[in-house]
Structure formats: structure tokens, C-alpha cells
Amino acid sequence: MQQTVLIIDDEPDIRELLDITISRMGLNTIAVGNVSDAIQALEAHPDINLCLTDIKLPDGSGLEIVRYIQAASICTAVAVLTAYGSTEIAVEALKAGAFDFINKPVSVEQLRNLVKSALKLGRRDTQFDGSSNTRLLGETASIVTLREQIIKLSRSQAPVYISGESGSGKEVVARLIHANGPRSDAPFVPVNCGAIPSELVESEFFGHTKGSFTGAYDHKEGLFEAANGGTLFLDEVADLPLNMQVKLLRAIQEKAVRRIGSNQEIAVDVRILSATHRDLAQAVAAEHFRSDLFYRINVIEVHVPSLRDRSSDIPLLANFMLDKIGREWELSPPKLSDMALTALCEYHFPGNVRELENIIERAATLCENNTIMPDDLSLPSSPQKTKPKESTEEGITSSSHMDAAKGDMESYLATIETQIISEALEANRWNKTESAKMLGVTFRQFRYKLKKYKLDD
């Protein structure tokens, strides 16, 4: 069945150009010039697949059409045409429920890409797809809500900012937004912004031409080109240098990139998802992150809960991980004893799901009789759970620390130090240099501690 696109623009020349371009794609078109005619067309033709509307119309705004479609629960994707540089209006349209936007003057290639992506929505099942290797396991209310959010977000092209602690599953959420959307057959390109040396960031994102700088021995496409048609996931986006943030903002707004050493712009059709464990709003306030880029990538925010906030999911996650280990090792998976399971549920997991996975894999390796006991988990002690120090009248400090340290103070202090170092590594995604800075020690001292406590694996 031929699909239908509703075109709304009060300028006859633009309306005709859009009509001709979309008709040549083998699609049926309906073209009108104002809000009232558009709403009449939507009421008369409930099978319209895509609505492409200008923002400024004689009798109102294209945003009214976006809101009408959302309120009427019509299964029609809607995209808006905005004046060049009207970022605020585009963001407002995306928040209102628009699928995407495109700047005037309209690029024929960008228009075709937008139409193709939007029409794929109507051919996709709205049921949550977690059948691949990427899964979001859990039965708590926060995870159920998160899965519902993923379904809604996957039907939009709005930039999404994913917040949450390290190891909580932000990349899993990003992959599921991609997998459940119209770009699922195109590349998903993740990049850890904090892992790229500052002098190579621009080349990594935009590519370079042969001979454009020392070491550029050949032409190279950047991450935007690699993700063309798909999704670019900017993990730890807060770590981007300020000068790169300006260039990234331009690439997102213009939907085009220019390789280093080239004067030619390359159009790219990329959806941007971003994440960081840091407080991005705080980084903006401290002027470590540009506010204009923040508002551009943070059109919609979704939060991934920490594991300690959904501790009732720990048994489900742990057993899933053990089953996975059994399949990979081609052995009967180890079982968690009741005491080991209790110990896991009482642990605070600063490293979240990633830490749980590491603990389970280590325990499965060390356990005997195919049963994991509490000692096999090697859970660090939790200084956060100890009672605060109290001062006696003589000024001598006493606390639960003293009771725990009796007879073997060195061992107890080593346990605390190990916990602190592990948390610093988790907070900095195992970047040893940044972890050393966080703890105020030299890299040499930090490396010594890693070897001492056997954390340098």
C-alpha cells in the first residue's frame, strides 16, 4: 500500500519542491498551506504516515500540529521545517513530540533521509525489543518505567541524554533505544569521549585527508561518517575539550562535517545519544561544559537507576550472569548459596551492574563444589556503613573502626584502601591517571597500590 505524506507550508514554491521530491520517492502526497487545512486533512485521512510542517504558518504554528497529533494519539510521525539556526524552536518541537526537524533551505538528501527514517516507524512493532544480546533485566518499578521510556524514545530522533552512575547500564539503554527505532539496521557507533587524546579528538570525530597533518598517511573517515544513517553514542561526553564542544555543536546543528584538511562538507544523518556519570548541569555551571551544547544534546533526559536503588533485581541479574557463564564455559553453571545471595543483596555496589558482573565471574571461577559461598564473592568491606567516629572526654577517638582493626590493623586498613581505590577506578571508568588525581596521589604511588592489592589486572 502506498504511503502518504502531508506537506504543510505557506510558501507555494517550497510546497511544490517538497511535493515533487517526495512524490519521486514513490509516495502519495497531500499539500496544504495552513494549520486549519492540515488538521482537516489529518481528520479526513487517518492513514497519513508522515506530516512535514513548517513552523511559521499564516494561522498559527507548526507546533500546534505536533501537539494535535500527540493529543489525538494519531500514529503519524511529524517532522518540522525550521529557519536556519532556529535551534530553540527545533528543540521545543522535539520536546513536544516531533520525530525530527530539518533546516531551511532544505537539502534534498537530508529530506529523503528524514522521510525514509520516519516511514520506517509505521512498519515497526511497538513492542519492546530486548531479544538481542543487549538486555535490560529487572522487575522493579524503575526498570519497568525505563523500558517504557525506551519504547517512546526509540520512535523519535530527538537527542537523548542518559544520566546515571558508572556501571549502571547507560550504554545498554543507548543500544536499546537504537535497536527499537527505525535506525536499527544501521550502525550503532559508541565512543568514549574521555579515552581519546585531546590532540586526536577532531580527527576521530570528523576524519582527515591524506597529508593534512603529520602522521595522516591516508584518508580517514570520522565517527560521524561511520555512524551515518545510524546512531552515534557519546559516552562520557563531559570529558570533551571545550574547543571540541564548539565543533561538535556545529556538526549536530548543520548535520554535516568537514574532514581536517578538506573544504568539502559531508552531509551526515546521525542520531545523537550521550551519557556521563558526572552531573552535566553542574559542569555547565562551572563552565567546564558549554551551555548551548548541553541544551542541544539534553532535549530529553532519561535516568538509569543505580543497582543499590533496585536491590531486589540482584538475584535475577546474578542468576542470569551465572547462566551466561555456564553457556560460555559449556559447563553446568555454579549456584549461589542463600548466604551468598544475602551478602550480595546487602552490598552497596558502588560499581553497579558492571561490578556485580565482575564479582559473579570471579566467584564462579574460585568456588568449590559448583556452589558460590560468601567468601567466594570477596566482597570489599563497606566503610560507608560503619558508624561515625565519636570522641571520648579524654579526646581519644573510638569507633567501630577500632573494633574491626583489633589484632590486625594493617589488614583492616588495606581493606579500606582497596575499597577506596576500586571506587575511584569505577568513578573514572578505570582510567588510572584520573583516579590518581582524584585521590591526590602521584601516578607512581597509585600504580604501586594497584600492584600491592592485585588490582592491576
Side-chain angles (χ1 to χ4, degrees):
M1 182 177 178
Q2 195 175 32
Q3 293 177 296
T4 302
V5 178
L6 173 62
I7 300 166
I8 311 158
D9 199 298
D10 62 327
E11 297 183 45
D13 291 345
I14 294 179
R15 196 163 62 237
E16 183 179 5
L17 173 64
L18 295 172
D19 197 338
I20 292 171
T21 303
I22 294 172
S23 296
R24 286 177 177 173
M25 296 176 69
L27 302 167
N28 183 39
T29 60
I30 301 172
V32 298
N34 55 54
V35 173
S36 58
D37 287 349
I39 291 176
Q40 287 181 18
L42 287 165
E43 291 173 344
H45 303 276
D47 57 342
I48 288 175
N49 304 95
L50 170 63
C51 175
L52 186 62
T53 179
D54 192 13
I55 285 291
K56 293 185 178 180
L57 295 167
D59 57 344
S61 166
L63 290 174
E64 294 177 45
I65 297 169
V66 176
R67 295 186 179 111
Y68 170 80
I69 289 173
Q70 293 297 308
S73 299
I74 301 172
C75 294
T76 301
V78 55
V80 297
L81 299 167
T82 63
Y84 181 82
S86 300
T87 305
E88 295 81 4
I89 296 175
V91 169
E92 187 178 352
L94 292 170
K95 287 183 176 179
F99 166 79
D100 204 354
F101 73 93
I102 188 169
N103 285 322
K104 290 183 176 181
V106 177
S107 158
V108 172
E109 183 179 357
Q110 288 182 353
L111 176 63
R112 286 174 177 164
N113 288 334
L114 183 147
V115 171
K116 288 176 184 176
S117 294
L119 294 180
K120 285 180 183 178
L121 287 175
R123 299 197 296 268
R124 289 188 65 83
D125 188 356
T126 56
Q127 184 68 31
F128 181 83
D129 179 12
S131 58
S132 66
N133 290 331
T134 303
R135 299 188 181 187
L136 184 64
L137 294 174
E139 298 172 352
T140 54
S142 60
I143 293 299
V144 172
T145 299
L146 184 54
R147 278 197 285 265
E148 292 172 352
Q149 288 179 310
I150 287 171
I151 294 173
K152 291 179 182 178
L153 294 173
S154 67
R155 294 185 59 83
S156 166
Q157 294 304 292
V160 177
Y161 167 56
I162 306 167
S163 62
E165 296 179 7
S166 291
S168 58
K170 297 187 291 296
E171 183 170 339
V172 170
V173 171
R175 287 183 180 275
L176 287 172
I177 291 172
H178 171 79
N180 284 273
R183 297 174 180 266
S184 58
D185 296 331
F188 175 88
V189 179
V191 51
N192 186 333
C193 299
I196 306 174
S198 57
E199 66 273 14
L200 297 178
V201 174
E202 186 174 358
S203 172
E204 286 295 312
F205 274 95
F206 305 138
H208 59 252
T209 58
K210 183 178 180 180
S212 56
F213 56 85
T214 303
Y217 300 116
D218 207 346
H219 297 294
K220 176 190 173 182
E221 74 170 13
L223 294 166
F224 270 87
E225 289 181 75
N228 195 20
T231 302
L232 181 60
F233 175 51
L234 306 175
D235 198 9
E236 298 304 338
V237 68
D239 292 340
L240 279 175
L242 282 168
N243 64 327
M244 185 60 201
Q245 292 177 25
V246 180
K247 296 171 183 177
L248 177 62
L249 177 63
R250 184 182 183 281
I252 294 172
Q253 290 182 165
E254 305 302 324
K255 298 187 178 183
V257 297
R258 183 182 298 152
R259 291 182 179 180
I260 297 174
S262 172
N263 294 321
Q264 181 181 359
E265 283 204 331
I266 303 169
V268 288
D269 171 32
V270 173
R271 184 180 189 183
I272 299 293
L273 304 178
S274 57
T276 181
H277 72 279
R278 298 187 186 182
D279 186 330
L280 205 53
Q282 194 175 64
V284 171
E287 298 185 351
H288 295 150
F289 198 84
R290 292 181 61 93
S291 59
D292 47 6
L293 179 58
F294 171 71
Y295 291 117
R296 190 65 189 83
I297 66 175
N298 190 26
V299 174
I300 300 172
E301 181 176 351
V302 58
H303 180 71
V304 184
S306 64
L307 186 55
R308 78 184 68 87
D309 290 335
R310 57 182 187 106
S311 57
S312 59
D313 283 334
I314 290 175
L316 175 66
L317 290 165
N319 285 312
F320 173 81
M321 293 167 183
L322 286 171
D323 288 340
K324 180 183 176 183
I325 289 170
R327 289 192 301 272
E328 291 175 351
W329 294 356
E330 297 182 354
L331 296 170
S332 176
K335 302 295 182 184
L336 276 165
S337 68
D338 291 341
M339 290 185 294
L341 190 55
T342 299
L344 285 174
C345 291
E346 291 178 349
Y347 180 56
H348 68 295
F349 284 103
N352 292 290
V353 178
R354 188 188 297 123
E355 184 182 10
L356 173 62
E357 189 169 16
N358 291 338
I359 288 170
I360 290 295
E361 186 170 350
R362 182 174 63 238
T365 304
L366 298 175
C367 72
E368 297 180 359
N369 302 320
N370 222 31
T371 302
I372 296 175
M373 302 302 291
D375 287 346
D376 299 322
L377 299 171
S378 301
L379 293 176
S381 63
S382 303
Q384 295 89 336
K385 293 186 178 181
T386 59
K387 295 179 181 179
K389 295 182 178 181
E390 300 173 355
S391 297
T392 65
E393 292 180 2
E394 292 81 6
I396 301 173
T397 302
S398 63
S399 68
S400 57
H401 286 300
M402 185 177 292
D403 294 332
K406 284 179 180 177
D408 193 354
M409 186 179 73
E410 289 298 324
S411 177
Y412 178 66
L413 292 176
T415 301
I416 294 177
E417 200 166 29
T418 300
Q419 176 70 14
I420 292 170
I421 291 171
S422 297
E423 289 186 25
L425 287 167
E426 288 287 350
N428 292 284
R429 298 184 65 81
W430 296 89
N431 184 313
K432 297 171 186 176
T433 303
E434 291 299 318
S435 298
K437 288 180 182 177
M438 174 183 279
L439 298 179
V441 297
T442 66
F443 183 73
R444 183 186 294 272
Q445 290 172 322
F446 190 73
R447 188 171 58 183
Y448 167 77
K449 298 287 186 183
L450 290 177
K451 290 183 179 179
K452 178 180 178 181
Y453 300 127
K454 297 181 181 179
L455 295 172
D456 197 20
D457 296 330

